[in-house]
Amino acid sequence: RSHFGSSTWCPDSQGSSREAAMGIDIGRAGGRIRKSGRKTCKSDNPYMRLLTKLFKFLARRTDSNFNKAIHKRLIAPRRIRAPLSLSRLAKFMTGKDGKVGVLVAKMAT
């Protein structure tokens, strides 16, 4: 048994040694590290909330990456959802005939 592993030694009630299971360090070392990032839409707009709810459901229940991307962009802050001009969207859609372009941001003129 190595003393350099992730587990520590602790004496048993009978005096023999056994390895203790590791847990979350919530003591003096800074506490538990939780997942960061947004979970819900911060907007008061009821239509945005409904869209977020819909795409959260679709992202969870289907294996479509499109639904996951749209849900992620709907709950993103406004500074991440920068406006996009129509000419730039047209440039991105060249050579993609028959496909639908989706923009989750403001359309700049």
Side-chain angles (χ1 to χ4, degrees):
R1 294 183 178 178
S2 172
H3 292 286
F4 302 109
S6 62
S7 58
T8 58
W9 293 92
C10 67
D12 203 348
S13 61
Q14 281 80 22
S16 64
S17 297
R18 65 177 175 85
E19 290 189 25
M22 289 297 291
I24 300 169
D25 187 12
I26 55 174
R28 296 173 299 179
R32 181 178 178 180
I33 298 172
R34 293 178 181 89
K35 287 184 182 177
S36 63
R38 282 191 176 190
K39 305 283 187 283
T40 60
C41 179
K42 298 285 183 186
S43 174
D44 293 332
N45 187 348
Y47 299 107
M48 278 285 287
R49 287 185 178 268
L50 281 172
L51 271 176
T52 305
K53 223 180 233 191
L54 171 70
F55 278 100
K56 182 178 181 181
F57 173 79
L58 289 173
R60 192 178 69 242
R61 294 295 294 260
T62 63
D63 56 351
S64 170
N65 287 332
F66 173 79
N67 292 330
K68 289 177 182 146
I70 296 296
H71 175 250
K72 183 183 84 171
R73 288 175 188 273
L74 279 171
I75 64 174
R78 269 193 303 184
R79 63 185 169 81
I80 303 297
R81 292 183 279 133
L84 189 71
S85 67
L86 188 59
S87 60
R88 195 140 224 214
L89 182 63
K91 188 176 89 172
F92 288 140
M93 292 301 292
T94 55
K96 297 178 179 147
D97 297 329
K99 296 208 174 195
V100 177
V102 178
L103 175 67
V104 185
K106 289 200 177 193
M107 180 65 84
T109 55

